[in-house]
Amino acid sequence: MNFVMPVVYLGILGGVYALVYYLNHKTPLPKGCENLKAECSGCHDKSCCNHPAHDQ
């Protein structure tokens, strides 16, 4: 019986994660945030996924 509780606990955590992931992708983007890449002129943060250097 000791091995059942961790499996149930991990199953519940996995189910909650899947539900939150689904609901997050179902939520529409706010107005003005649909295409941030078009307005980005670039900064010094090269790790940002919107930086124009990634298009080259």
Side-chain angles (χ1 to χ4, degrees), residues 7 10 35-36 38:
V7 172
L10 288 176
N35 191 2
L36 292 177

Side-chain angles (χ1 to χ4, degrees), residues 24-38:
N24 185 35
H25 283 283
K26 191 175 155 185
T27 305
L29 292 173
K31 283 189 175 185
C33 293
E34 290 87 8
N35 191 2
L36 292 177
K37 199 165 199 161

Side-chain angles (χ1 to χ4, degrees), residues 3-56:
F3 63 90
V4 174
M5 291 306 291
V7 172
V8 170
Y9 183 70
L10 288 176
I12 291 172
L13 284 178
V16 169
Y17 177 79
L19 177 66
V20 170
Y21 185 83
Y22 170 74
L23 292 175
N24 185 35
H25 283 283
K26 191 175 155 185
T27 305
L29 292 173
K31 283 189 175 185
C33 293
E34 290 87 8
N35 191 2
L36 292 177
K37 199 165 199 161
E39 297 176 6
C40 180
S41 60
C43 59
H44 296 291
D45 186 9
K46 297 274 186 184
S47 64
C48 176
C49 63
N50 291 328
H51 196 281
H54 294 292
D55 294 334
Q56 298 172 352

